[in-house]
Amino acid sequence: MIQVKNLNKSFNGKAVLDNISIKFETGKTNLIIGRSGSGKTVLLKSIVGLHEIDSGEIWYENTLFNKLDFAGKKVIRSEMGMLFQGSALFDSLTVEQNVRFPLDMFTDSPADEKIDRVNFCLKRVDIINANNLYPSELSGGMKKRVAIARAIALNPKYLFCDEPNSGLDPITAILIDALIKELTEEYSMTTIVNTHDMNSVMEIGEKVVFISEGIKCWEGSKNDILNSDCELLNDFIFANSLAKKLRSQAKT
Amino acid sequence: MMKFLTQLGRYVLLLKKVFSKPEKPSLYFKQTMSEFVNLGLNSIGIIAIISFFMGAVITLQTAYNTENPIYPKYLIGLGCRDSMILEFSSTIAALILAGKVGSNIAAEIGTMRVTEQIDALEIMGVNSASYLILPKIIATLIFNPILTLIAIIVGIFGGGIAGTLAGVITTENFIYGIQYAFIPYYIVYSLIKTVFFAFIITSVSAYQGYYVDGGSLEVGRASTKAVVYSSVLILLFNVILTQLLLS
């Protein structure tokens, strides 16, 4: 479980996150949704420690993460996996080397065991016969899959995904969502996904938090979201004309 | 002034991170070997070509400026040797490397920053500054003195060839000149300067790349800044080190 308490973050005096408190549950896919620029990525990067927060607390189980030094954070980080918006695969390494990187860095396993683990992770995300390809030779969807394989290489307890569907076609996006949900359940991870894709919300949103202009406005599940009386959330969900039409038809 | 002090403080803090204990020495060793190729071996060609022609030009210019018969001909060889050892092989070669290696380092690390590859390393618990920068510093500190020696040898050779082909000096006179009143300490002086310059090029360029904020435009700017700041610092330290080592 990850718990955020009264988190505040500003850049150059401008508040980006304002007193955010959320509990992210283990074994569930927790979604942070909101418009572009609402503070989702800053929140996610604050939770993983890539941004220093101004005030507040970030708890990983019973450990106060934001007060730890580099060595202390390193222990927690060895249990994290993260999927970045642009995949963030290492350009100079092949697919196999990318997935193997955390194993080389943090384990002393024999080479053949590492290769087995790499192949297992790649197979798990449906990447086959691509071990020797470089990231520049992969499609957007394949890059995301390889990034997921790298993120799960060390059996993480926490998985973070920043806009996992950005730049993907709707079918690939659904496959990536399904994969994230399956892995979350399979490894009983605490997964936090940043998204503004409503398909993702309806597919995998076991717990959903809506953020607007750095403020947490709503919290619930995908089943509650359509009946919410939060104006800002409704504006966000029913932003496109098709959704508006369906909503007005449902009302009449 | 405050901006300068802030930048200096960040640079010192980055170096502190760079020189902390490596997570996995075997991976750092592998990375250092790869940097020997990227930053060292791949620079031999440009250094050799430029040194050859600089040696040739220095020889011809010295010859045309010492046509008076009271100057012995072997001074042409001596001039070429001392120019190559004292200034070209260390300072001018360092300025060339600041352009080639410095921009390469800033662009590589800057691109890794804007594409979140550095964040990915940090999330894994890797000390990204140390993993990315330390191997580059070690590689250049070891390899740049070799490049300096290559520059000296090729430059003097180029001077000899040009002088002989242009008919301004005989081979015997040139060889006598490059052996005449040779002070071995000049080589040590040149190598000491090279080590300082190598550190400046790598650390300043890595600093510019590591703290890039934005997109491709900022990576380009960081690359330019890396070359400009490294070059200015090389010239400044050239004066300081010359005063300290030759006075």
Side-chain angles (χ1 to χ4, degrees):
Chain A
M1 184 188 68
I2 299 170
Q3 202 169 356
V4 173
K5 290 181 184 172
N6 308 111
L7 191 153
N8 289 286
K9 172 72 187 165
S10 60
F11 289 108
N12 301 322
K14 186 178 179 288
V16 179
L17 297 175
D18 186 5
N19 204 32
I20 302 265
S21 296
I22 313 168
K23 193 187 273 186
F24 299 103
E25 291 165 37
T26 306
K28 283 190 176 176
T29 316
N30 301 273
L31 266 60
I32 303 170
I33 62 168
R35 293 176 60 179
S36 299
S38 58
K40 301 188 298 292
T41 299
V42 175
L43 175 58
L44 195 70
K45 289 192 173 180
S46 299
I47 292 170
V48 298
L50 288 175
H51 287 321
E52 286 291 324
I53 58 172
D54 298 342
S55 63
E57 294 176 353
I58 298 161
W59 291 86
Y60 282 74
E61 316 302 339
N62 297 318
T63 308
L64 184 54
F65 179 70
N66 57 305
K67 295 289 180 198
L68 295 173
D69 59 7
F70 183 78
K73 279 184 180 163
K74 203 172 152 181
V75 175
I76 302 277
R77 279 177 170 164
S78 65
E79 299 179 325
M80 288 181 190
M82 183 155 180
L83 171 60
F84 287 87
Q85 198 168 346
S87 302
L89 295 176
F90 305 127
D91 296 327
S92 57
L93 304 182
T94 62
V95 165
E96 183 178 297
Q97 289 165 337
N98 262 285
V99 181
R100 192 179 154 150
F101 184 86
L103 299 168
D104 283 337
M105 191 57 98
F106 297 110
T107 70
D108 292 316
S109 318
D112 50 348
E113 260 181 44
K114 287 179 191 168
I115 295 290
D116 287 347
R117 179 68 188 160
V118 168
N119 289 332
F120 171 81
C121 293
L122 287 172
K123 199 177 167 194
R124 185 66 194 80
V125 297
D126 281 334
I127 295 282
I128 294 155
N129 296 331
N131 290 34
N132 297 320
L133 296 179
Y134 282 89
S136 59
E137 298 172 289
L138 304 176
S139 68
M142 283 173 86
K143 280 183 191 170
K144 300 268 182 187
R145 285 169 185 277
V146 175
I148 293 174
R150 185 178 67 182
I152 62 168
L154 288 174
N155 277 326
K157 277 172 76 178
Y158 312 103
L159 180 66
F160 303 93
C161 307
D162 187 15
E163 310 264 7
N165 297 335
S166 66
L168 299 181
D169 66 86
I171 294 169
T172 311
I174 288 170
L175 292 173
I176 294 287
D177 282 341
L179 184 61
I180 291 169
K181 192 171 189 307
E182 281 168 30
L183 291 169
T184 302
E185 286 165 4
E186 199 174 312
Y187 296 104
S188 194
M189 294 185 289
T190 305
T191 298
I192 304 178
V193 180
N194 255 0
T195 187
H196 45 61
D197 180 358
M198 281 313 294
N199 285 331
S200 297
V201 176
M202 300 319 289
E203 288 285 333
I204 60 170
E206 290 173 282
K207 172 163 185 168
V208 185
V209 176
F210 174 67
I211 288 180
S212 177
E213 294 180 359
I215 297 166
K216 187 181 92 174
C217 299
W218 184 86
E219 184 173 349
S221 73
K222 64 181 179 184
N223 301 321
D224 309 325
I225 205 163
L226 295 176
N227 303 315
S228 151
D229 51 9
C230 173
E231 278 291 319
L232 287 167
L233 177 62
N234 287 334
D235 290 346
F236 175 76
I237 299 168
F238 302 105
N240 67 54
S241 50
L242 177 65
K244 275 179 190 157
K245 207 171 178 178
L246 289 172
R247 192 190 193 198
S248 61
Q249 279 176 358
K251 276 184 178 172
T252 56
Chain B
M1 189 62 187
M2 272 310 287
K3 198 179 168 191
F4 170 73
L5 289 175
T6 309
Q7 296 279 337
L8 187 65
R10 280 217 301 179
Y11 173 74
V12 172
L13 287 174
L14 178 69
L15 289 183
K16 197 180 154 203
K17 267 181 88 179
V18 168
F19 290 104
S20 54
K21 193 178 167 230
E23 279 99 3
K24 193 110 180 201
S26 59
L27 272 189
Y28 277 62
F29 178 75
K30 208 172 147 191
Q31 192 75 355
T32 306
M33 291 298 118
S34 142
E35 298 299 354
F36 271 127
V37 177
N38 290 339
L39 307 177
L41 285 174
N42 289 346
S43 301
I44 289 178
I46 189 163
I47 288 294
I49 290 169
I50 294 173
S51 303
F52 183 90
F53 287 104
M54 284 301 289
V57 169
I58 288 168
T59 301
L60 295 178
Q61 284 183 351
T62 311
Y64 295 131
N65 284 290
T66 55
E67 281 182 330
N68 193 318
I70 59 168
Y71 297 124
K73 283 286 179 191
Y74 64 80
L75 281 184
I76 299 168
L78 185 146
C80 175
R81 179 200 72 197
D82 281 354
S83 301
M84 289 308 297
I85 294 176
L86 290 171
E87 212 46 38
F88 179 82
S89 65
S90 52
T91 313
I92 308 297
L95 291 172
I96 294 162
L97 289 174
K100 183 189 176 287
V101 173
S103 61
N104 176 304
I105 291 173
E108 181 191 326
I109 297 180
T111 304
M112 288 187 78
R113 168 64 74 192
V114 300
T115 55
E116 297 180 312
Q117 291 175 51
I118 292 180
D119 287 347
L121 284 170
E122 290 285 333
I123 284 294
M124 288 177 202
V126 177
N127 177 348
S128 62
S130 181
Y131 178 72
L132 294 174
I133 302 171
L134 188 60
K136 293 184 198 304
I137 290 180
I138 293 171
T140 51
L141 289 183
I142 293 172
F143 209 92
N144 282 22
I146 297 170
L147 291 175
T148 295
L149 294 175
I150 291 171
I152 293 171
I153 293 164
V154 175
I156 293 173
F157 178 72
I161 297 282
T164 313
L165 288 179
V168 294
I169 187 171
T170 62
T171 309
E172 292 75 27
N173 264 337
F174 189 83
I175 291 173
Y176 181 75
I178 60 174
Q179 291 173 334
Y180 182 77
F182 176 61
I183 301 170
Y185 177 70
Y186 283 177
I187 302 271
V188 176
Y189 158 77
S190 184
L191 292 178
I192 291 173
K193 284 205 301 182
T194 301
V195 168
F196 272 86
F197 297 159
F199 183 78
I200 289 171
I201 293 168
T202 318
S203 61
V204 170
S205 305
Y207 169 79
Q208 292 299 334
Y210 195 79
Y211 288 112
V212 163
D213 189 15
S216 54
L217 201 65
E218 282 74 17
V219 174
R221 281 192 193 129
S223 198
T224 308
K225 276 187 193 171
V227 177
V228 173
Y229 293 165
S230 301
S231 302
V232 171
L233 284 170
I234 285 167
L235 295 173
L236 178 68
F237 274 83
N238 190 30
V239 176
I240 295 168
L241 289 170
T242 302
Q243 176 61 22
L244 289 174
L245 296 170
L246 291 185
S247 63

